[in-house]
């Protein structure tokens, strides 16, 4: 990467001081394949030891870079090999022993989150996959930092509807067990189609099979920077809007590339990717929804929102890909309702509905993210929401996901307070018509014709 000149330094400082620019996460991916052992306690100890030996300096190095460069790094995180694959050799039905080992290791290393309590079941279940999935509610409720993901579909394989049905029940049970924490455990669980192996963002991060022994991935942010930039082109044609977003995404990603290379060098760990996704927070001035409104929408969710989001997502990718030698992860614009001040306001006013969010997920990164629904929403309805979102991903060959919170004891219009980066979410209505007979069919929805590309 070429040297950053004085003008770029001043510009970056302004983005940090006034426009909420930050590095959302440095995530170290760690392979745990060598941790497998027939005895679950022995395997869990190996998991703990491997994570601690690899990541013992991660937080210290991140804080060192923050001080030297003056660039905020909000989270330091770890992702590991999907635990269903590591635990398969162990003779136990209960995989919470591995979640507890992950939690202890994360606490010892001082990271904010650790992802990888995961299973990949897009074409079917192994016995280990079933054990892990059945352990998710207890594992997430017994831990603070552990995050979980399950991949239930892919463009190559179709959608595993048995897994979809099971995840509806798992999410309901997770919500029930974490009712006193306002569904916090559900905020750490995501259901994917076309999950990627190098995603640095939680809750969906895991260390994929094609990854090296250990790797550094960085996720940038910067919705506030884009919003700020668009204020200077009000009333201009969309060509100008797109070009402005592209230039801004380039600058944001350059910062991420710098942090990634510095971290990689100081830890002696290979640099993986920069995920250039615009990741919002509940803070005012750090919202993807406000970017869309800056393009001319009165409120996020009104007609034109999907088109505006499509422009934003595409321009972010076009600008960011020129700024880093390795762009990966999800890379685009996230629309997590509870984590975006503008989305919260739009949903609370009724302008942003579940159906509109589903349409928006066709053109953005990931999918229905941090959605709160009434606590009495059935497992079958939750499963059907997952199925719809998976279908969008599978047919369009993109990553989609659902992170949903059935808010125990809450009704439509009330609010669930989760806290921290997870924010708060207005409880949104779901359709009243039953999907139970549809979900109970089970089996597998075949892969689309577009999967036959060999």
């Amino acid at each position: 990467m070429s040297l950053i000149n004085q003008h770029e330094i001043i510009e970056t400082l302004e983005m940090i001081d006034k426009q909420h620019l930050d590095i959302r996460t440095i995530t170290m991916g760690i392979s745990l394949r060598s941790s497998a052992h027939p005895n679950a306690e022995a395997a869990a100890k190996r998991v703990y030891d491997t994570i601690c030996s690899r990541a013992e300096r991660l937080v210290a190095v991140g804080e060192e870079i923050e001080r030297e460069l003056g660039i905020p790094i909000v989270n330091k995180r770890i992702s590991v090999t999907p635990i269903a694959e590591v635990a398969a050799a162990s003779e136990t039905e209960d995989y919470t022993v591995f979640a507890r080992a992950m939690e202890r290791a994360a606490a010892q290393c001082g990271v904010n989150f650790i992802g990888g309590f995961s299973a990949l079941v897009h074409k079917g279940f192994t016995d280990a996959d079933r054990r892990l999935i059945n352990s998710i509610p207890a594992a997430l409720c017994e831990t603070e930092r552990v995050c979980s993901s399950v991949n239930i579909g892919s463009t190559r394989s179709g959608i595993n509807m048995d897994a979809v049905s099971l995840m509806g029940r798992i999410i309901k049970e997770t919500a029930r067990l974490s009712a006193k924490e306002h569904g916090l455990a559900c905020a750490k669980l995501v259901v994917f189609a076309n999950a990627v192996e190098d995603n640095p963002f939680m809750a969906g991060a895991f260390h994929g099979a094609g990854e090296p022994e250990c790797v550094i991935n960085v996720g940038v942010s910067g919705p506030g920077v884009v919003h700020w930039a668009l204020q200077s082109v009000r009333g201009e044609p969309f060509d100008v809007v797109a070009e402005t977003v592209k230039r801004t995404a380039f600058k944001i990603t350059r910062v991420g590339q710098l942090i990634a290379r510095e971290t990689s060098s100081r830890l002696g760990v290979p640099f993986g990717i920069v995920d250039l996704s615009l990741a919002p927070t509940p803070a005012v001035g750090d919202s993807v929804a406000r970017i869309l409104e800056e393009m001319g929408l009165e409120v996020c969710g009104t007609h034109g929102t999907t088109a505006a989001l499509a422009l934003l997502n595409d321009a972010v990718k076009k600008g960011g890909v020129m700024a880093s030698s390795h762009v990966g992860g999800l890379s685009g614009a996230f629309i997590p309702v509870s984590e975006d001040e503008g989305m919260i306001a739009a949903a609370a006013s009724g302008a942003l509905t579940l159906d509109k969010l589903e349409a928006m997920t066709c053109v953005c990164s990931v999918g229905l993210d941090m959605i709160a629904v009434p606590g009495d929403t059935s497992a079958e309805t939750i499963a059907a929401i997952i199925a719809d979102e998976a279908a969008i991903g599978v047919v369009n060959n993109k990553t989609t996901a659902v992170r949903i919170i059935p808010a125990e004891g809450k009704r439509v219009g009330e609010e669930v307070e989760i806290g921290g980066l997870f924010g708060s979410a207005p409880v949104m209505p779901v359709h009243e018509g039953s999907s139970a007979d549809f979900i109970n069919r089970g089996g597998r929805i075949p892969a689309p014709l577009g999967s036959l590309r060999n």
Side-chain angles (χ1 to χ4, degrees):
M1 187 176 70
S2 61
L3 293 176
I4 298 177
N5 62 40
Q6 186 177 18
H7 174 71
E8 288 177 308
I9 292 171
I10 293 171
E11 197 170 44
T12 301
L13 290 174
E14 288 182 350
M15 289 191 291
I16 293 167
D17 290 340
K18 300 178 182 178
Q19 302 162 29
H20 297 274
L21 175 65
D22 58 53
I23 299 299
R24 185 53 44 85
T25 178
I26 297 173
T27 301
M28 175 180 280
I30 301 172
S31 173
L32 295 180
R33 293 184 194 178
S34 61
S35 299
H37 193 280
N39 181 279
E41 292 292 342
K45 185 178 187 307
R46 288 184 175 186
V47 165
Y48 174 86
D49 290 343
T50 301
I51 294 170
C52 289
S53 65
R54 290 286 187 181
E56 62 180 349
R57 296 180 55 238
L58 176 63
V59 171
V61 167
E63 292 174 347
E64 181 181 277
I65 293 171
E66 280 186 278
R67 289 193 299 270
E68 291 182 17
L69 301 182
I71 298 171
I73 302 171
V74 177
N75 276 186
K76 292 84 177 174
R77 301 169 175 171
I78 296 169
S79 64
V80 299
T81 305
I83 291 296
E85 298 175 9
V86 179
S90 298
E91 298 169 356
T92 180
E93 291 291 323
D94 183 5
Y95 284 3
T96 57
V97 61
F98 296 97
R100 290 192 292 269
M102 292 167 67
E103 178 74 14
R104 291 195 304 273
Q108 176 64 29
C109 295
V111 297
N112 303 91
F113 291 106
I114 181 167
F117 196 78
S118 305
L120 310 179
V121 297
H122 38 282
K123 203 170 183 180
F125 299 94
T126 64
D127 291 340
D129 292 328
R130 287 189 184 276
R131 292 177 191 133
L132 182 130
I133 291 171
N134 288 330
S135 299
I136 286 174
L140 296 186
C141 292
E142 290 179 20
T143 59
E144 294 181 9
R145 298 171 175 86
V146 174
C147 294
S148 179
S149 60
V150 178
N151 193 62
I152 51 81
S154 76
T155 298
R156 283 285 186 176
S157 66
I159 304 171
N160 182 349
M161 290 299 292
D162 292 322
V164 169
S165 177
L166 177 56
M167 289 312 299
R169 299 193 297 274
I170 291 296
I171 289 169
K172 283 286 288 184
E173 178 64 8
T174 304
R176 185 186 70 80
L177 292 179
S178 63
K180 291 183 179 179
E181 292 77 35
H182 307 291
L184 174 61
C186 288
K188 301 186 295 171
L189 172 60
V190 60
V191 183
F192 275 116
N194 290 322
V196 297
E197 297 186 335
D198 56 3
N199 168 22
F201 289 104
M202 299 298 165
F206 63 88
H207 190 67
E211 294 291 303
E213 196 74 24
C214 190
V215 69
I216 289 294
N217 298 320
V218 167
V220 300
S221 185
V225 182
V226 175
H227 184 212
W228 186 282
L230 289 183
Q231 293 177 35
S232 65
V233 294
R234 286 178 180 168
E236 297 287 343
F238 282 115
D239 315 74
V240 176
V241 172
E243 192 63 30
T244 303
V245 174
K246 282 166 56 180
R247 288 199 307 268
T248 307
F250 177 86
K251 296 170 186 176
I252 293 169
T253 309
R254 288 262 286 186
V255 176
Q257 172 83 355
L258 173 63
I259 296 296
R261 288 207 174 279
E262 278 296 313
T263 307
S264 172
S265 174
R266 298 186 191 196
L267 288 173
V269 173
F271 161 43
I273 57 94
V274 174
D275 185 319
L276 49 90
S277 297
L278 297 181
T281 72
V284 174
D286 201 24
S287 162
V288 169
R290 300 305 185 194
I291 296 173
L292 306 181
E293 292 169 356
E294 185 60 40
M295 292 186 194
L297 304 173
E298 182 178 356
V299 62
C300 179
T302 193
H303 303 295
T305 299
T306 305
L309 184 58
L311 182 154
L312 175 65
N313 205 59
D314 181 64
V316 164
K317 292 182 179 182
K318 287 175 177 174
V321 78
M322 300 299 293
S324 175
S325 54
H326 298 289
V327 171
L330 300 166
S331 290
F334 289 171
I335 53 171
V337 173
S338 78
E339 299 175 16
D340 186 308
E341 169 268 327
M343 295 280 177
I344 294 169
S349 72
L352 187 62
T353 65
L354 202 57
D355 288 342
K356 185 61 178 179
L357 280 164
E358 183 180 295
M360 292 164 67
T361 65
C362 297
V363 298
C364 75
S365 289
V366 199
L368 294 173
D369 198 11
M370 293 302 292
I371 309 292
V373 296
D376 60 1
T377 303
S378 70
E380 290 82 9
T381 294
I382 292 170
I385 291 169
I386 294 169
D388 282 344
E389 197 59 32
I392 291 172
V394 166
V395 172
N396 292 289
N397 196 26
K398 71 184 294 290
T399 302
T400 53
V402 172
R403 188 163 47 146
I404 191 167
I405 301 168
E408 291 286 309
K410 298 285 187 178
R411 298 179 179 179
V412 172
E414 295 182 317
E415 191 172 87
V416 54
E417 181 68 39
I418 306 167
L421 285 177
F422 292 131
S424 61
V427 177
M428 303 177 74
V430 299
H431 290 287
E432 295 181 1
S434 173
S435 307
D437 289 346
F438 175 78
I439 292 300
N440 291 335
R441 284 179 177 270
R444 183 151 54 98
I445 293 179
L449 187 60
S451 68
L452 300 177
R453 295 184 176 183
N454 291 346

